């Protein structure tokens, strides 16, 4: 065994010992449940990110609709003060 092999072995054992101590400090007696907890945390983070992206899309759609004033297809949106031709009541003179 050479001196370099001994050094590598020593460094590896120190890193393993540090990892075990860190895991014992962070997770205590429930070290075996760690992998499940990490997966649940990652899944929850994914759901949160998806919700934020969806909320951003809805917010952008709302703001662009209000600021630009156009429908998604490019036709102007009638303002609430005007009545559209399909909802206008027929006049009394045209029915006679």
């Amino acid at each position: 065994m050479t001196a370099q092999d001994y050094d590598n072995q020593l460094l590896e054992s120190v890193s393993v010992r540090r990892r075990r101590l860190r895991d014992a400090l962070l997770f205590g007696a429930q070290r075996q449940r760690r992998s499940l907890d990490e997966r649940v945390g990652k899944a929850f983070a994914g759901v949160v990110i998806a919700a934020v992206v969806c909320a951003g899309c809805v917010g952008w759609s709302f703001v662009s609709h209000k600021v630009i004033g156009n429908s998604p297809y490019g036709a102007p949106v009638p303002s609430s003060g005007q009545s559209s031709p399909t909802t206008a009541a027929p006049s009394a003179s045209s029915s006679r």
Side-chain angles (χ1 to χ4, degrees):
M1 184 187 262
T2 65
Q4 188 175 6
D5 291 337
Y6 179 74
D7 291 343
N8 288 336
Q9 184 180 7
L10 182 63
L11 291 173
E12 187 176 338
S13 67
V14 167
S15 68
V16 168
R17 185 175 295 130
R18 284 183 182 170
R19 186 177 63 238
R20 287 180 182 168
L21 284 172
R22 184 194 66 220
D23 290 347
L25 178 67
L26 291 176
F27 302 110
Q30 298 179 352
R31 286 192 310 251
Q32 302 304 323
R33 293 183 54 193
R34 181 184 70 222
S35 61
L36 175 65
D37 292 342
E38 287 176 354
R39 284 188 223 127
V40 170
K42 288 178 183 178
F44 181 71
V47 168
V48 168
I49 290 170
V52 168
V53 168
C54 287
C57 290
V58 169
W60 175 258
S61 175
F62 177 77
V63 168
S64 66
H65 179 76
K66 290 295 183 183
V67 170
I68 298 172
N70 288 338
S71 71
Y73 303 106
V77 175
S79 65
S80 60
Q82 300 174 350
S83 64
S84 66
T86 58
T87 59
S91 64
S93 63
S94 65
S95 61
R96 290 182 189 210

